[in-house]
Amino acid sequence: MNVGLQLYTTRRLGGLQQQLLMAQQVGYRHVETVGFHDMAVKDVVDSCAAFQLKVTSAHFDWPEFETRFQDILWFLEASGCQVVVMPWLPQSDRPSTRAGWGQLIRTMRIWAKDLADIGVRFAYHNHDYELRPLDGTTALDLILKEPLIYWQPDVGWLAHSGEDVGFWLRRYPTKITSIHAKDIAPGAGRGDEVWRDLGDGVLDWADIITSLEACENVDLFVEHDESSDYHRTLTSGFTVLNRALGARNCAVVS
């Protein structure tokens, strides 16, 4: 498992190069990009390479898939990235019926097939709305029934929804490409007020990592939607996850 940084965390920290510099200084070697960072595709790739940060995963939203698919393909080839993630749906585009989700899934199936043909996995990133009951199932279950659609669990949102995080991670071990690692303080407020730096919330990271043991090649991306101290967020996330991974490895050896 690699510990990486989801660059959405630092989106307000100057430009991309400033964000990458901080990630490198903290010790990260892997990042997950967010669209094209309002830059030319080549400039994003070159910036990550300049700071010796590997693009292990990349987020592109629905309009980017619809209108810039060739740019996405070029980015993947130039960066060597082999995982693409659909990060979210605007509230106005979220279906309320099984048929509505079926229509979206059929479109994602086409993108997933095109990407699979070049050796890239297409994954879906959950929030809370995909976990609501839907005709005896959930939208997330419907999505993950697709053979070529993988999953990037956001464990913070799983916990926020009142779900058993370990149960969900063990339910789809062959589907998980990576996780978004962010912590939560339930009851601390509304919306983004509940998120915390890793180690300052209620999630048990050693247990979460144990729940991922049946998965292969899972990356752990530190994320905090509204950090008030970027260096602290990046440092605590990097430290907590590496400590949990180290403890697991020691237990396996012993």
Side-chain angles (χ1 to χ4, degrees):
M1 295 182 187
N2 297 307
V3 176
L5 174 65
Q6 162 51 248
L7 290 168
Y8 183 78
T9 303
T10 53
R11 65 195 181 279
R12 298 192 182 98
L13 176 64
L16 178 60
Q17 293 199 356
Q18 186 176 350
Q19 300 168 32
L20 298 173
L21 174 61
M22 180 177 286
Q24 182 194 57
Q25 290 175 335
V26 170
Y28 290 91
R29 296 294 177 265
H30 301 263
V31 292
E32 183 174 51
T33 52
V34 185
F36 298 106
H37 295 269
D38 296 321
M39 298 168 65
V41 179
K42 184 178 185 301
D43 291 342
V44 179
V45 174
D46 290 348
S47 295
C48 292
F51 288 95
Q52 299 179 309
L53 289 163
K54 179 175 176 56
V55 181
T56 314
S57 179
H59 276 202
F60 296 103
D61 61 26
W62 193 278
E64 287 167 331
F65 273 96
E66 287 187 315
T67 64
R68 300 191 64 180
F69 196 74
Q70 289 302 314
D71 286 336
I72 292 173
L73 295 179
W74 193 94
F75 176 87
L76 296 171
E77 181 180 3
S79 66
C81 178
Q82 295 182 314
V83 178
V84 169
V85 182
M86 169 67 64
W88 82 308
L89 294 168
Q91 188 166 0
S92 59
D93 295 335
R94 298 171 191 171
S96 58
T97 65
R98 187 165 183 158
W101 277 106
Q103 183 175 352
L104 288 184
I105 291 168
R106 285 190 291 274
T107 300
M108 288 192 286
R109 182 190 300 154
I110 295 170
W111 294 330
K113 173 62 168 61
D114 289 343
L115 291 166
D117 287 344
I118 61 169
V120 174
R121 290 183 291 173
F122 175 94
Y124 186 88
H125 172 94
N126 72 276
H127 287 75
D128 57 347
Y129 52 87
E130 305 92 342
L131 298 163
R132 296 168 188 156
L134 184 71
D135 295 338
T137 184
T138 68
L140 184 59
D141 286 307
L142 293 176
I143 291 167
L144 296 181
K145 285 181 180 178
E146 288 294 316
L148 293 178
I149 298 181
Y150 292 85
W151 183 29
Q152 181 182 70
D154 186 312
V155 297
W157 276 110
L158 287 174
H160 190 282
S161 303
E163 298 287 339
D164 182 330
V165 174
F167 167 79
W168 276 97
L169 297 182
R170 290 187 293 269
R171 186 172 185 174
Y172 290 106
T174 64
K175 288 286 192 173
I176 297 175
T177 62
S178 61
I179 70 164
H180 269 198
K182 62 186 179 190
D183 222 327
I184 184 171
R190 301 180 63 183
D192 289 328
E193 295 172 356
V194 303
W195 307 125
R196 294 292 183 271
D197 291 335
L198 269 63
D200 288 344
V202 301
L203 294 182
D204 184 336
W205 296 101
D207 185 63
I208 288 171
I209 288 173
T210 298
S211 297
L212 295 168
E213 286 183 347
C215 307
E216 295 184 4
N217 303 320
V218 175
D219 292 307
L220 314 174
F221 290 109
V222 172
E223 184 185 41
H224 192 315
D225 289 13
E226 298 293 340
S227 172
S228 60
D229 184 332
Y230 298 116
H231 192 271
R232 181 179 185 277
T233 294
L234 268 60
T235 302
S236 64
F238 189 79
T239 302
V240 167
L241 290 180
N242 277 293
R243 184 182 296 134
L245 285 171
R248 184 201 67 161
N249 292 338
C250 289
V252 170
V253 170
S254 62

